[in-house]
Amino acid sequence: MAPTLILSRALSAIVTLFGVMVIVFVLVRVVPGDPIAMMIAPGASDADIAALRAHYGLDLPIWQQFLVWLGQVLLGNFGTSISLKQGVLTVILERLPATLELAVFALAMALVWGSFIALVSTAARGTLLEKFIDNFNGVMLAVPDFIWGLTFVLVLGVFVPVLPISGRSDPTIDAGLSSQFYILEGVLRGKLLFVWDVLKHMLLPAFTMSFPLAAVIGRVLKNTMMDVMVQDYIVLARIKGLSSLRILLQEALRNAAVPALALTGVQFTFLIGGTVITERIFSYPGIGNLAIDAVINRDLPLIQGLVLTFGAIFVAVNMAVDALAAWLNPRLRHA
Amino acid sequence: MPKDFRIWLGGGFILLLLLAAIFAPLISPFDPLEQDLLSATMAPGQDPSHIIGTDSLGRDVLSRLIFACRIALTVAFVAATLACLAGTFLGMLAGYLGGWWDATISRLIDIWMAFPPVLLSILLVAVLGTGIHSVIAAIVVIDWTRFARVVRAETQQQARLEYTEAATALGMSRGTILFREILPNVVPVILVLLSLEMGIAVIVEAILSFVGLSVSTDTPTWGGMIAEGRQIIYQAWWVLVFPLVTLFLTVLAFNQLGDGLRQWLDPMLKR
């Protein structure tokens, strides 16, 4: 990638993150009135309050307050969670790995599932199977993940109980891991039985989150592949006697992948947003579930920290997608 | 008369829900809040008077389902209409006036849509507090862009047509042209969006009441019933299944109605 492109992308990421910070500051600090009221533990003395007020510079004008607040946030000082009585950063870092592993797993599933749908439906073009897959794709897209998740709970967790529907791992298994990256650390340490258990717990929530994304990927990939399949070089490949499967995978899929991947990046942020409700349905201990508890308890320091965390993830994902797109599409490299 | 069966099917189901919501006290077999611990978690058909069973507190599931239509439809109609009014107004201004107006509003829409809706709704409910007003406010604040984006493009198109030019030549004021001439031609698009938005609003309300951020728990809601059902899912699946199916059918009905309307109202697709 050209250095100027990297610079401009990084700059726009910083601007976006700054925008998120301004919104959070306005909503959390200015709208509800006295910000001190949400930072102190209940029952603090007047002297403590006055000290805190001076510490956070609340006698200053509002733009200076914003700068002070920004400084604190950049130093990682998000304050103390009211409901959990722990540092906000500590709480978030403890729960974040669970969400990250789930989101990445769901993304991988959506990519595999979406490509599979597109490949089968392209290979079967003109037949009843294609019609069936297209209709199924429409249903996957039209039904919201909230309903999918609960349906999976009901069908695969209760009626035919094959998969766990709550939590992240079997509490009776003590893997003795030191980090919260269960899959990553489990694989590195060779605790495959534990990893298998964690994967089983992740399967239904990840499936729920991957469904809408897989439908979108499947549709776009199929449309581009159908366009590609009538191109001259596909005809040439056929004349050369390549097998249909090889043409489909090597020629069509490779050329159709770029637009689908660009779209995946945009949709991935929605998938991460979807963790909030999916984690709730499956009692999964990630930051999405934490966010809902924070709102129910009106734990404003925690909400503030979580929104900034989500914002940072979104910005990071967007940057990664831009870089990936530039790497895949040579024309963008010098744009 | 529209021939499309989707309009009749979707519209019919919504009408049914509407009637159920209005006449809820008359048609419900029980008081939706009445607890009867002696007949708790009764399966459907176990007691002929509780047709689809009771929940963990012995409340009649059918009666709660019927009363919950009230919240769902109120949120659907009010939130979608308000989002529609705000989005349409801004979209028409941007599409017709162009220039500085268009640049500002379009930029605003872009920024808005880049911000993930879940985050925005969490922040809004956190600041506004829970309750039906917050739910409606959150939906309006988040979803006005859906209308604004489409209405802007449609208005832009209409503004380029001959009839707008003729109206300008006749010396009509810009306000008259916008609301008397262009608006009626944008209405079909708005109606389709409105129907789809109602489906979205129903889901958002269900999600927020599922996680306990909507109305207080004494008021029956589909989302609240689903949350209760989720907790006792191994003992009483029916507490979750019936509101879930109702929710699904409602969303489906709004979607089908919207798709049917699109087909019926769009002369381009009719051919």
Side-chain angles (χ1 to χ4, degrees):
Chain A
M1 240 199 303
T4 47
L5 183 64
I6 299 177
L7 202 71
S8 79
R9 287 289 149 81
L11 212 66
S12 101
I14 291 171
V15 170
T16 312
L17 211 53
F18 187 77
V20 173
M21 284 175 165
V22 172
I23 293 172
V24 170
F25 179 78
V26 170
L27 280 179
V28 176
R29 284 283 301 275
V30 180
V31 176
D34 189 4
I36 278 298
M38 70 193 198
M39 286 185 188
I40 47 162
S45 71
D46 285 353
D48 287 343
I49 295 174
L52 253 171
R53 199 175 286 279
H55 178 71
Y56 285 103
L58 288 171
D59 36 356
L60 303 170
I62 198 79
W63 63 271
Q64 276 186 18
Q65 281 190 41
F66 176 69
L67 289 183
V68 171
W69 176 83
L70 197 65
Q72 295 281 344
V73 166
L74 291 179
L75 288 173
N77 186 359
F78 294 101
T80 307
S81 155
I82 294 166
S83 55
L84 299 169
K85 312 260 185 305
Q86 272 179 302
V88 166
L89 198 62
T90 322
V91 177
I92 292 178
L93 287 180
E94 198 183 297
R95 302 281 206 103
L96 187 58
T99 299
L100 288 181
E101 284 193 340
L102 179 64
V104 171
F105 188 51
L107 175 68
M109 242 161 116
L111 283 172
V112 172
W113 186 215
S115 315
F116 179 75
I117 290 174
L119 280 172
V120 174
S121 140
T122 313
R125 58 193 180 285
T127 66
L128 261 174
L129 183 64
E130 187 205 1
K131 244 194 140 107
F132 173 78
I133 294 177
D134 282 358
N135 282 329
F136 180 71
N137 212 15
V139 175
M140 276 210 309
L141 201 60
V143 178
D145 46 3
F146 178 63
I147 292 181
W148 280 126
L150 289 161
T151 311
F152 291 148
V153 164
L154 210 57
V155 175
L156 294 170
V158 180
F159 292 156
V160 190
V162 283
L163 286 166
I165 53 171
S166 313
R168 196 179 174 202
S169 64
D170 189 339
T172 57
I173 303 178
D174 180 25
L177 301 185
S178 54
S179 80
Q180 293 294 319
F181 286 99
Y182 285 2
I183 303 257
L184 212 62
E185 199 186 342
V187 169
L188 288 177
R189 291 198 179 191
K191 306 207 174 196
L192 295 182
L193 226 76
F194 176 70
V195 171
W196 174 239
D197 181 59
V198 176
L199 279 177
K200 269 201 305 193
H201 279 82
M202 274 186 2
L203 206 55
L204 284 184
F207 209 42
T208 304
M209 281 161 41
S210 70
F211 246 45
L213 182 54
V216 175
I217 294 175
R219 179 168 292 178
V220 171
L221 205 54
K222 189 203 157 189
N223 287 344
T224 22
M225 267 168 55
M226 293 294 252
D227 291 344
V228 169
M229 286 309 272
V230 294
Q231 300 279 326
D232 288 346
Y233 67 88
I234 298 287
V235 180
L236 179 70
R238 255 188 236 291
I239 294 170
K240 279 185 357 194
L242 296 185
S243 72
S244 315
L245 188 70
R246 194 155 158 208
I247 291 174
L248 212 55
L249 288 177
Q250 260 192 2
E251 310 289 336
L253 183 62
R254 214 176 58 181
N255 284 295
V258 176
L261 268 180
L263 186 85
T264 307
V266 181
Q267 294 281 327
F268 186 46
T269 52
F270 286 95
L271 184 144
I272 293 173
T275 56
V276 175
I277 185 64
T278 311
E279 286 181 0
R280 195 67 176 186
I281 295 172
F282 292 95
S283 313
Y284 189 86
I287 54 171
N289 214 335
L290 189 66
I292 289 170
D293 285 330
V295 176
I296 290 174
N297 297 323
R298 299 212 63 159
D299 191 340
L300 284 169
L302 187 55
I303 294 169
Q304 169 183 301
L306 282 166
V307 171
L308 288 175
T309 309
F310 272 115
I313 295 176
F314 292 135
V315 170
V317 167
N318 278 325
M319 277 186 78
V321 171
D322 283 344
L324 192 67
W327 181 64
L328 283 170
N329 189 347
R331 275 171 299 184
L332 280 179
R333 266 175 227 164
H334 306 290
Chain B
M1 281 300 256
K3 282 199 201 100
D4 200 319
F5 73 99
R6 288 177 297 184
I7 296 180
W8 294 104
L9 217 62
F13 187 77
I14 293 157
L15 191 68
L16 208 71
L17 288 179
L18 200 63
L19 290 175
I22 294 169
F23 299 109
L26 295 176
I27 54 174
S28 300
F30 289 87
D31 178 345
L33 302 176
E34 188 189 273
Q35 303 182 6
D36 177 7
L37 292 175
L38 288 177
S39 54
T41 59
M42 281 204 299
Q46 195 181 328
D47 179 336
S49 62
H50 298 287
I51 304 167
I52 54 173
T54 60
D55 66 8
S56 59
L57 295 171
R59 296 173 296 193
D60 183 51
V61 174
L62 180 63
S63 308
R64 291 178 69 71
L65 210 54
I66 292 172
F67 268 89
C69 293
R70 294 185 154 185
I71 297 286
L73 290 184
T74 308
V75 171
F77 289 129
V78 176
T81 308
L82 290 179
C84 172
L85 288 178
T88 303
F89 184 69
L90 288 174
M92 286 182 70
L93 282 189
Y96 184 59
L97 296 180
W100 183 86
W101 282 94
D102 188 26
T104 312
I105 295 174
S106 297
R107 189 91 198 103
L108 198 63
I109 295 173
D110 284 346
I111 296 173
W112 224 261
M113 294 193 96
F115 210 76
V118 177
L119 273 195
L120 205 53
S121 56
I122 285 185
L123 258 179
L124 281 172
V125 177
V127 172
L128 297 172
T130 56
I132 192 167
H133 300 288
S134 311
V135 174
I136 291 174
I139 294 171
V140 174
V141 168
I142 292 165
D143 279 348
W144 66 270
T145 50
R146 287 174 191 274
F147 291 91
R149 208 169 42 121
V150 178
V151 169
R152 172 184 166 269
E154 189 69 21
T155 308
Q156 237 169 15
Q157 226 170 28
Q158 298 289 339
R160 272 193 231 110
L161 296 180
E162 282 92 348
Y163 76 86
T164 315
E165 224 171 283
T168 317
L170 282 172
M172 289 189 191
S173 76
R174 294 211 286 189
T176 319
I177 295 177
L178 190 55
F179 291 102
R180 282 273 185 74
E181 301 293 325
I182 295 181
L183 182 61
N185 289 297
V186 184
V187 161
V189 180
I190 298 175
L191 280 180
V192 173
L193 283 179
L194 190 63
S195 175
L196 297 176
E197 180 61 32
M198 285 182 187
I200 294 171
V202 169
I203 275 286
V204 172
E205 194 283 318
I207 289 176
L208 286 176
S209 47
F210 173 77
V211 300
L213 293 178
S214 180
V215 292
S216 76
T217 40
D218 334 322
T219 318
T221 54
W222 294 336
M225 293 173 76
I226 291 172
E228 285 157 24
R230 172 70 179 88
Q231 280 178 350
I232 52 165
I233 193 159
Y234 289 111
Q235 295 89 42
W237 52 265
W238 52 91
V239 182
L240 185 138
V241 168
F242 290 105
L244 186 62
V245 171
T246 315
L247 179 66
F248 171 70
L249 291 177
T250 310
V251 175
L252 197 68
F254 278 119
N255 280 345
Q256 294 299 310
L257 180 65
D259 285 347
L261 283 176
R262 195 203 309 272
Q263 204 91 40
W264 181 51
L265 294 171
D266 191 342
M268 296 300 281
L269 285 169
K270 242 183 204 169
R271 269 182 271 146

